[in-house]
Amino acid sequence: MEIKVKILRFNPETDKRPHYQTFRVEAEPTDRVLDLLEKIKGYQDGSLAFRRSCAHGICGSDAMRINGMNRLACKTLVKDLSKGTITVEPLLGLSLIKDLIVDMDPFFEHYESVMPYLVNDEPPPLKERLQSPEERERFDDTTKCILCAACTTSCPSFWSNGRYVGPAAIVNAHRFIFDSRDRAGAERLRILSDQFGVYRCHTIFNCTLACPREIQITKAIGEIKRAIATGSLD
Amino acid sequence: MRNRTVPQPAMSFEYIMWMFTRISGLALLFLGAVSLVMAFVMGARELLDMPTLARWTFFPNPNHVVNSKIPDVTQGWANAYWQIMQIVIAFFGISHGLNGLRVIIEDYIGNTIWQPMLRGLIFLVWLFFTIMAVFVILAS
Ligand code: FES
């Protein structure tokens, strides 16, 4: 079947502002939106710019707005979208570089600000730092993050103020705060109780809907708010 | 699972106001319920119509019930207890509402030069309304 793909294009060298361009492509219902973009780039317009790497929903490169929702192009099938035109736009809230490519630097700066790595200065045991299955389970959900930025760029708090650390950074803080081997929980909670930390979250739930990994993001943010209020990491 | 705890971060302004929003919201509902129940105890079923009762519930001011079938509002409906109730409700209501406004504003402006200025302005508005409310309640 033939499908219309309407893409928001922007070439910083020639365009003053972004504009839509519609392409017609031959597609199977089981094609992914990423396949359509590849077809357009390969056969119709080689100047179309977008990021992709794994094409299997694990590298987090190709988050974009598909029919108004933040999605991974490589995980979105044509048959799951409403019939007619498919609209593809870059993520909101980050500045546009070219076509579907946005500047991810602010996103990763927020990510780094919550110390997304294991901190433990205690001398390591002979073999490894042991952890029970239950202790591992505690933060399992937030280990699934692929840093695609779909959540952060769906968040109205982040749209209105780019200094908010955003759901993705909070998810990655959660992953270490609730890890029994980590020792920097208090420091991360201090960072997140700041003016642009968790209290800019107004439980809008856009992030939870946007996450291609189905992480319960708003719940994770709520657990951090509770940890700040009680000091308990259970 | 063993109980892991961390020293809590020092209370930040955002944390305190976040807590206050929850506590004041619950307190307003609770105080409304108290006024409602007390009104029924004092015979609201016979004496008040629905709109009057609703006004009394969320602000137990004798002026709200003076035009009802209550023979004499000074008997139970207007006294120091209800004045204190009104002051507490006014305090929580004004603070809860203006803090909400502050949060919305700061969502947008972040910490530019406008932030301390608008925060100061909201504080002055808060002070004004609180003093006015206490004055009106005690004078009425
Ligand atoms: S291309 Fe890697 S997540 Fe889509």
Side-chain angles (χ1 to χ4, degrees):
Chain A
M1 59 180 179
E2 195 190 62
I3 284 195
K4 275 195 231 157
V5 186
K6 185 173 151 196
I7 302 177
L8 192 64
R9 305 283 317 259
F10 175 69
N11 179 349
E13 283 168 5
T14 56
D15 299 344
K16 275 220 168 60
R17 57 176 61 89
H19 58 92
Y20 287 99
Q21 187 178 354
T22 306
F23 298 90
R24 288 164 189 281
V25 272
E26 204 44 51
E28 298 294 324
T30 49
D31 274 348
R32 303 161 303 170
V33 172
L34 182 62
D35 297 321
L36 307 186
L37 297 177
E38 299 278 20
K39 273 184 204 163
I40 294 168
K41 189 174 174 71
Y43 298 104
Q44 298 188 29
D45 186 345
S47 72
L48 178 65
F50 56 91
R51 288 196 184 100
R52 62 88 91 191
S53 179
C54 69
H56 286 82
I58 204 64
C59 72
S61 307
D62 61 346
M64 54 189 72
R65 260 185 307 153
I66 298 170
N67 283 356
M69 306 273 276
N70 283 5
R71 293 274 176 269
L72 293 179
C74 62
K75 275 187 87 171
T76 309
L77 300 186
V78 169
K79 69 180 164 78
D80 295 334
L81 297 168
S82 56
K83 298 220 165 41
T85 313
I86 297 175
T87 309
V88 184
E89 296 156 303
L91 295 174
L92 289 171
L94 294 169
S95 48
L96 192 52
I97 296 178
K98 187 181 180 190
D99 293 341
L100 301 172
I101 298 182
V102 293
D103 180 10
M104 298 281 279
D105 283 357
F107 174 80
F108 283 109
E109 275 162 27
H110 289 315
Y111 170 63
E112 280 161 28
S113 75
V114 301
M115 309 198 295
Y117 37 78
L118 191 87
V119 179
N120 191 336
D121 293 334
E122 294 160 14
L126 231 39
K127 269 186 167 161
E128 56 189 309
R129 297 183 200 276
L130 288 177
Q131 187 168 50
S132 71
E134 294 77 35
E135 285 170 333
R136 175 60 180 74
E137 179 63 29
R138 179 67 191 83
F139 59 93
D140 188 65
D141 199 38
T142 44
T143 60
K144 298 188 298 193
C145 177
I146 57 172
L147 294 171
C148 66
C151 57
T152 295
T153 57
S154 74
C155 173
S157 287
F158 183 75
W159 294 338
S160 60
N161 199 323
R163 300 195 49 188
Y164 169 39
V165 289
I170 301 176
V171 160
N172 285 280
H174 180 285
R175 184 252 170 270
F176 288 100
I177 289 171
F178 291 93
D179 185 333
S180 60
R181 300 162 298 185
D182 186 83
R183 295 291 172 268
E187 173 69 1
R188 291 195 194 87
L189 291 182
R190 190 190 59 70
I191 295 168
L192 290 175
S193 64
D194 144 279
Q195 196 199 345
F196 294 103
V198 286
Y199 299 114
R200 294 263 80 83
C201 165
H202 305 312
T203 52
I204 294 163
F205 279 89
N206 274 13
C207 52
T208 307
L209 290 176
C211 181
R213 307 282 296 165
E214 289 165 13
I215 300 172
Q216 301 298 309
I217 302 178
T218 312
K219 179 167 173 242
I221 299 176
E223 288 175 354
I224 289 185
K225 285 175 181 165
R226 193 179 59 203
I228 292 174
T230 63
S232 161
L233 297 186
D234 288 334
Chain B
M1 207 189 301
R2 68 211 160 91
N3 291 345
R4 293 179 65 227
T5 51
V6 283
Q8 277 172 269
M11 290 208 186
S12 64
F13 178 69
E14 294 293 334
Y15 169 69
I16 293 169
M17 294 320 286
W18 180 79
M19 261 313 189
F20 176 78
T21 307
R22 272 128 196 94
I23 292 168
S24 57
L26 286 174
L28 283 168
L29 288 176
F30 174 74
L31 293 169
V34 169
S35 325
L36 184 67
V37 169
M38 294 283 282
F40 277 118
V41 170
M42 293 190 296
R45 204 165 111 74
E46 302 288 324
L47 300 173
L48 300 184
D49 56 20
M50 195 54 198
T52 315
L53 181 63
R55 262 176 289 153
W56 171 269
T57 299
F58 290 104
F59 202 59
N61 185 297
N63 287 328
H64 284 164
V65 290
V66 79
N67 292 328
S68 67
K69 289 193 219 135
I70 299 172
D72 179 6
V73 290
T74 57
Q75 302 295 314
W77 297 81
N79 55 34
Y81 167 74
W82 288 118
Q83 285 185 326
I84 294 170
M85 274 290 273
Q86 289 171 64
I87 291 174
V88 175
I89 289 179
F91 168 77
F92 277 134
I94 296 167
S95 315
H96 186 97
L98 285 174
N99 179 56
L101 185 64
R102 178 192 68 83
V103 170
I104 293 170
I105 289 175
E106 293 182 8
D107 275 349
Y108 285 90
I109 58 169
N111 57 2
T112 56
I113 179 71
W114 286 97
Q115 193 240 22
M117 283 167 43
L118 288 171
R119 213 182 247 197
L121 182 68
I122 287 175
F123 175 74
L124 290 179
V125 173
W126 173 81
L127 204 63
F128 173 75
F129 275 121
T130 309
I131 292 172
M132 280 291 282
V134 172
F135 177 76
V136 169
I137 289 163
L138 294 183
S140 69

